């Protein structure tokens, strides 16, 4: 890797330029409906050696390491934001898509690649395995600001968060078979169940440990809690990978457990991880853009072959995999069509495409260029039209609510208190009551009520109405008691 003639100050400036460019690219992409990852990648290609020539980068090992670190951060943030009550309803179909769906997509695409590129069966199947999974970074980013029906969003997010083990497993299998032709395929199959099972158990265990630790430890600064939380993501991945289990699955599951636990400092943790995930996305896609040389990616033969493979992947392999994976599951025809269309490819296939290069597989650079083009095609065609397709199929949901969170006091570590936000709805027992008639826990005081666009100063005669946001200052000792009281349902007798 060479960074032109930059000194240390120039390198720092370049990093700042990339982050600022990424922020504006994200803002611009949301306005035109284009996935931000496309613009991040284009920024990388623009400043690369085939563009403005600021940076020469061809280190596949470093790109792979950066990609893995970024995916850990992105998966962790995605798990923290995912609500278990929504995912629970789609757990079985999501797992089916993440395993059977990825296998079918890989096989169908691999068979097509065998004929399109005129390569061996194993080489074709290796290509299919690399592009077989949907990408968590792309899916989380695409759905974050869109009002897709909760069931559809949960299915796609759960699938993309759990399908990496199958893709990695298949990729490593075919690399091994190409490197060591005498290797038996059947010997490798038990390792898949080990990766999935142990990855799941580790994620559950470390997630519970992390939740317990976050709530019990008393740090001097609230700013340390998000760092402490994220460290569990890296620990989870390293332990899982160290024993040949699925690190990505373990990270997502542990974050799911943490995010659905009753956490102190939730707001600080959530805000920090969201910002850090954006930074990881920007840097990862820019570096992957640097790794791809436009002069190689946009050759006539790469474009032609890439378009044919993209067509097979988008219009044949993914739909067949979705429809077969969801047999006898409660999904309508329209929902299956949407899930078929919304199977975005992104960072994971590009990162996996570096594995054959590092392993020294023949034609690995050609695979990388075509896979890179396929990812761009998927992001441009599918990613930019998700909203349109959802509207056409009648799968748009309501406008997303303001998230429920706790707002910590600046001096919270010393005050040992939190400002809790709660949105009242028709089922809550407190709705329709006056504040003076509600028995709040000890050391719990309503500081403000937000009703629509109005800020209401609370008095004893103030009546709580559906949709009100209550901001309650409470001692951490009584937070759980307050939560139970607020969530108490009306007596319908």
């Amino acid at each position: 890797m060479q960074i032109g003639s930059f000194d240390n100050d120039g390198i720092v400036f370049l990093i700042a330029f990339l982050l600022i460019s990424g922020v504006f690219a994200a803002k611009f992409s949301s306005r035109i409906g284009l996935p931000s990852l496309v613009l991040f990648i284009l920024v990388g290609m623009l400043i690369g050696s085939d563009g403005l020539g600021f940076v020469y980068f061809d280190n596949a090992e470093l790109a792979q390491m950066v990609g893995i670190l970024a995916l850990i951060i992105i998966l962790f943030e995605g798990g923290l934001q995912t609500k278990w009550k929504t995912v629970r309803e789609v757990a079985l179909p999501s797992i089916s898509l993440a395993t059977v769906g990825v296998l079918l997509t890989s096989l169908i695409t691999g068979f097509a690649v065998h004929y399109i590129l005129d390569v061996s069966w194993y080489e074709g199947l290796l290509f299919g395995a690399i592009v077989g999974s949907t990408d968590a970074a792309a899916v989380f980013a695409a759905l974050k600001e869109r009002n897709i029906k909760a069931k559809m969003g949960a299915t796609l997010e759960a699938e993309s968060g759990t399908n990496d083990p199958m893709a990695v497993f298949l990729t490593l299998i075919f690399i091994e078979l190409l490197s060591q032709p005498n290797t038996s395929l059947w010997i490798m199959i038990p390792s898949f169940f080990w990766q999935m099972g142990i990855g799941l158990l580790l994620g559950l265990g470390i997630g519970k440990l992390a939740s317990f630790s976050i709530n019990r430890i008393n740090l001097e600064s609230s700013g340390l809690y998000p760092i402490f939380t994220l460290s569990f993501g890296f620990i989870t991945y390293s332990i899982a990978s160290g024993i040949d289990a699925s690190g990505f699955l373990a990270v997502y599951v542990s974050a799911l457990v943490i995010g659905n636990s009753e956490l102190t400092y939730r707001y600080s943790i959530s805000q920090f991880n969201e910002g850090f995930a954006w930074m990881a996305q920007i840097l990862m896609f820019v570096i992957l853009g640097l790794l791809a040389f436009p002069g190689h990616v946009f050759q006539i033969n790469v474009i032609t072959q890439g378009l044919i493979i993209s067509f097979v992947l988008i219009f044949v392999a993914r739909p067949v995999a979705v429809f077969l994976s969801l047999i006898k599951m409660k999904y309508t025809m329209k929902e299956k069509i949407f899930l078929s269309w919304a199977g975005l490819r992104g960072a994971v296939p590009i990162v996996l495409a570096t594995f054959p290069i590092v392993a020294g597989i023949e034609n690995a650079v050609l695979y990388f260029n075509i896979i890179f083009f396929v990812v761009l095609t998927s992001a441009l065609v599918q990613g930019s039209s998700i909203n349109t397709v959802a509207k056409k199929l009648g799968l748009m949901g309501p406008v997303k609510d303001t998230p429920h969170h706790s707002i910590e006091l600046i001096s919270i570590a010393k005050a040992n208190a939190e400002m809790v936000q709660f949105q009242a709805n028709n089922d809550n027992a407190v709705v329709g009551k006056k504040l003076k008639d509600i028995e709040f826990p000890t050391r719990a005081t309503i500081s403000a009520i937000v009703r629509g666009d109005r800020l209401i100063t609370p008095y004893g005669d103030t009546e709580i109405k559906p949709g009100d946001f209550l901001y309650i200052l409470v001692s951490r000792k009584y937070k759980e008691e307050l939560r139970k009281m607020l969530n108490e349902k009306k007596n319908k007798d």
Side-chain angles (χ1 to χ4, degrees):
M1 178 179 69
Q2 298 175 353
I3 309 183
S5 57
F6 288 132
D7 55 13
N8 289 338
D9 293 337
I11 293 173
V12 172
F13 176 80
L14 179 62
I15 293 173
F17 170 77
L18 293 178
L19 291 175
I20 292 173
S21 299
V23 170
F24 282 104
K27 181 176 178 62
F28 182 69
S29 68
S30 65
R31 287 189 174 185
I32 63 176
L34 189 70
S36 54
L37 71 90
V38 175
L39 297 182
F40 299 156
I41 287 175
L42 292 179
V43 168
M45 297 177 80
L46 178 64
I47 66 173
S49 56
D50 277 5
L52 299 177
F54 290 153
V55 180
Y56 179 85
F57 182 83
D58 63 352
N59 192 326
E61 291 91 342
L62 179 58
Q64 186 181 109
M65 182 186 72
V66 171
I68 289 172
L69 289 173
L71 286 171
I72 292 171
I73 296 168
I74 294 165
L75 278 169
F76 192 77
E77 193 269 339
L80 287 177
Q81 302 297 335
T82 302
K83 301 301 179 187
W84 171 243
K85 64 180 181 181
T86 305
V87 172
R88 180 174 54 197
E89 299 173 359
V90 298
L92 182 59
S94 296
I95 292 172
S96 180
L97 287 169
T99 52
V100 178
V102 172
L103 179 61
L104 291 173
T105 303
S106 302
L107 291 176
I108 295 170
T109 306
F111 287 147
V113 169
H114 166 70
Y115 293 105
I116 295 168
L117 300 184
D118 192 24
V119 294
S120 69
W121 284 110
Y122 282 162
E123 288 176 302
L125 291 171
L126 171 61
F127 191 109
I130 291 172
V131 298
S133 67
T134 58
D135 179 59
V139 170
F140 291 161
L143 298 180
K144 183 164 289 190
E145 302 300 329
R146 291 174 168 84
N147 300 320
I148 308 296
K149 269 192 175 180
K151 180 182 178 182
M152 295 294 93
T155 302
L156 289 168
E157 289 182 358
E159 176 199 2
S160 64
T162 57
N163 67 6
D164 294 334
M166 176 62 88
V168 173
F169 172 72
L170 292 174
T171 299
L172 295 179
I173 273 185
F174 291 116
I175 288 177
E176 182 71 18
L177 291 173
L178 285 167
S179 304
Q180 305 290 336
N182 294 326
T183 303
S184 172
L185 176 64
W186 302 108
I187 294 177
M188 297 182 177
I189 291 178
S191 70
F192 170 72
F193 294 99
W194 170 267
Q195 288 184 39
M196 291 287 286
I198 301 302
L200 177 63
L201 291 176
L202 271 175
L204 290 171
I206 296 179
K208 289 183 179 298
L209 174 64
S211 303
F212 177 83
S213 302
I214 293 165
N215 288 326
R216 292 298 183 274
I217 194 169
N218 189 16
L219 300 175
E220 289 300 315
S221 171
S222 61
L224 293 174
Y225 285 87
I227 300 173
F228 183 61
T229 304
L230 182 60
S231 67
F232 282 99
F234 290 109
I235 289 171
T236 303
Y237 180 87
S238 59
I239 292 176
S241 297
I243 58 175
D244 294 325
S246 173
F248 290 137
L249 176 63
V251 167
Y252 181 73
V253 171
S254 67
L256 191 63
V257 172
I258 295 170
N260 286 275
S261 301
E262 189 65 32
L263 284 184
T264 186
Y265 310 107
R266 177 180 293 278
Y267 182 67
S268 296
I269 292 169
S270 176
Q271 291 294 97
F272 173 85
N273 279 280
E274 183 179 4
F276 204 38
W278 271 111
M279 186 174 74
Q281 271 195 71
I282 292 170
L283 294 178
M284 174 179 64
F285 284 117
V286 167
I287 287 176
L288 293 177
L290 285 171
L291 189 62
F293 288 69
H296 298 163
V297 173
F298 298 115
Q299 295 181 54
I300 294 298
N301 66 315
V302 172
I303 293 174
T304 304
Q305 294 167 336
L307 286 174
I308 298 172
I309 294 171
S310 296
F311 180 87
V312 172
L313 178 62
I314 295 172
F315 293 100
V316 181
R318 171 69 179 180
V320 169
V322 168
F323 276 78
L324 291 179
S325 300
L326 298 180
I327 288 176
K328 294 186 178 180
M329 296 190 189
K330 296 178 180 179
Y331 285 79
T332 66
M333 177 66 71
K334 289 183 177 181
E335 289 174 337
K336 291 177 183 178
I337 291 173
F338 178 76
L339 292 174
S340 299
W341 186 254
L344 297 179
R345 268 60 191 174
V348 170
I350 299 177
V351 172
L352 289 181
T354 64
F355 283 41
I357 297 176
V358 174
I361 299 297
E362 188 180 359
N363 297 320
V365 175
L366 174 63
Y367 297 159
F368 179 87
N369 291 329
I370 297 177
I371 288 166
F372 193 92
F373 184 84
V374 169
V375 168
L376 280 179
T377 304
S378 171
L380 285 169
V381 175
Q382 296 171 281
S384 61
S385 59
I386 283 182
N387 253 24
T388 303
V389 173
K391 287 178 182 177
K392 293 287 186 183
L393 296 173
L395 297 176
M396 294 297 289
V399 176
K400 293 182 179 179
D401 291 332
T402 303
H404 302 237
H405 54 248
S406 299
I407 303 175
E408 293 80 32
L409 298 173
I410 294 174
S411 58
I412 191 166
K414 297 177 181 178
N416 201 30
E418 294 182 29
M419 186 73 77
V420 174
Q421 175 182 280
F422 173 80
Q423 185 180 23
N425 59 57
N426 285 311
D427 294 332
N428 296 128
V430 295
V431 171
K433 291 184 178 181
K434 294 181 179 180
L435 294 181
K436 65 183 181 182
D437 298 326
I438 301 173
E439 294 185 10
F440 286 98
T442 306
R443 297 185 183 179
T445 305
I446 291 190
S447 300
I449 297 176
V450 176
R451 181 173 297 159
D453 296 329
R454 293 186 300 142
L455 176 65
I456 297 174
T457 303
Y459 295 99
D461 289 328
T462 302
E463 182 180 319
I464 297 177
K465 296 184 178 181
D468 284 354
F469 281 91
L470 312 181
Y471 290 86
I472 307 170
L473 182 63
V474 62
S475 169
R476 286 175 60 189
K477 180 179 179 181
Y478 298 100
K479 182 181 174 182
E480 180 63 20
E481 183 181 342
L482 173 67
R483 186 186 67 81
K484 290 179 179 179
M485 186 274 291
L486 291 173
N487 285 295
E488 185 178 338
K489 301 301 180 182
K490 286 183 178 179
N491 188 347
K492 296 183 179 181
D493 294 339

